[in-house]
Amino acid sequence: MTVYLVYWTPENISLCERTSGWSMSCWGSKLENFSTHWKKGDVAYFINIDSEGHSSIFGKLTLEQFANSREEAEQIIGRPLTAAPFNQYWIGEKPWLKLHDVDCRDLLMTLTFKSGNKLKEGFDGRSFQAPRPLTEEDAQAVEARWLAFTE
């Protein structure tokens, strides 16, 4: 199992907030290797960094099942994905959570990631253009932060 930080833009978050019944049920992508790069049991923590630099973890998804089409994903999760521009999705384990706002900028500055590279002061969303895999210690710290604010 690998744990990742995945960035969503403020526009993505706004869309979630405006979508009735939205939950962190699935993750869609246009990446060619989306079905093979990630594996069942991998965990994605979704983060956002707004224009003022506020960083938050807003969702967590433990990957359960891959859907090869929007229609298949919609059937599994029981709601339309019409606003999402993707044709492939990882479906998460239940329960599917609503949006959260777990402050994490200080935590992000302490992570070394599997690459061994820490974030630099003033980082923004460009630092997360690709999902970033976490070390085991980083993953434990992120999970501890998540649980402190969501349970």
Side-chain angles (χ1 to χ4, degrees):
M1 170 194 70
T2 304
V3 179
Y4 296 88
L5 288 184
V6 178
Y7 179 74
W8 278 11
T9 66
E11 293 78 19
N12 298 137
I13 303 302
S14 179
L15 177 62
C16 296
E17 291 172 333
R18 293 188 320 266
T19 301
S20 176
W22 186 91
S23 64
M24 191 87 241
S25 56
C26 62
W27 172 27
S29 178
K30 295 179 182 178
L31 294 173
E32 288 183 24
N33 67 347
F34 193 57
S35 66
T36 58
H37 181 76
W38 290 271
K39 307 281 184 258
K40 179 179 178 176
D42 285 351
V43 176
Y45 287 95
F46 295 89
I47 64 168
N48 175 260
I49 304 165
D50 68 19
S51 60
E52 292 151 12
H54 174 75
S55 305
S56 65
I57 305 168
F58 66 86
K60 175 186 177 184
L61 192 70
T62 301
L63 307 184
E64 174 67 23
Q65 176 182 357
F66 188 77
N68 287 302
S69 69
R70 177 194 313 254
E71 294 76 18
E72 182 182 355
E74 289 174 336
Q75 185 177 15
I76 295 167
I77 67 171
R79 67 177 172 85
L81 294 167
T82 53
F86 308 115
N87 289 318
Q88 54 182 351
Y89 294 84
W90 271 102
I91 311 300
E93 290 179 355
K94 290 183 177 182
W96 298 329
L97 304 174
K98 300 295 181 195
L99 283 175
H100 290 279
D101 185 10
V102 177
D103 186 62
C104 67
R105 190 162 192 91
D106 63 325
L107 173 64
L108 295 177
M109 291 299 298
T110 69
L111 304 178
T112 55
F113 303 96
K114 280 194 175 177
S115 67
N117 297 325
K118 289 186 169 253
L119 295 170
K120 294 181 175 27
E121 276 297 326
F123 70 87
D124 60 17
R126 292 175 292 194
S127 299
F128 294 93
Q129 288 181 350
R132 296 188 72 164
L134 301 175
T135 65
E136 186 174 326
E137 296 80 21
D138 289 346
Q140 289 172 359
V142 171
E143 176 72 359
R145 177 67 59 94
W146 175 256
L147 291 175
F149 285 88
T150 61
E151 290 200 343

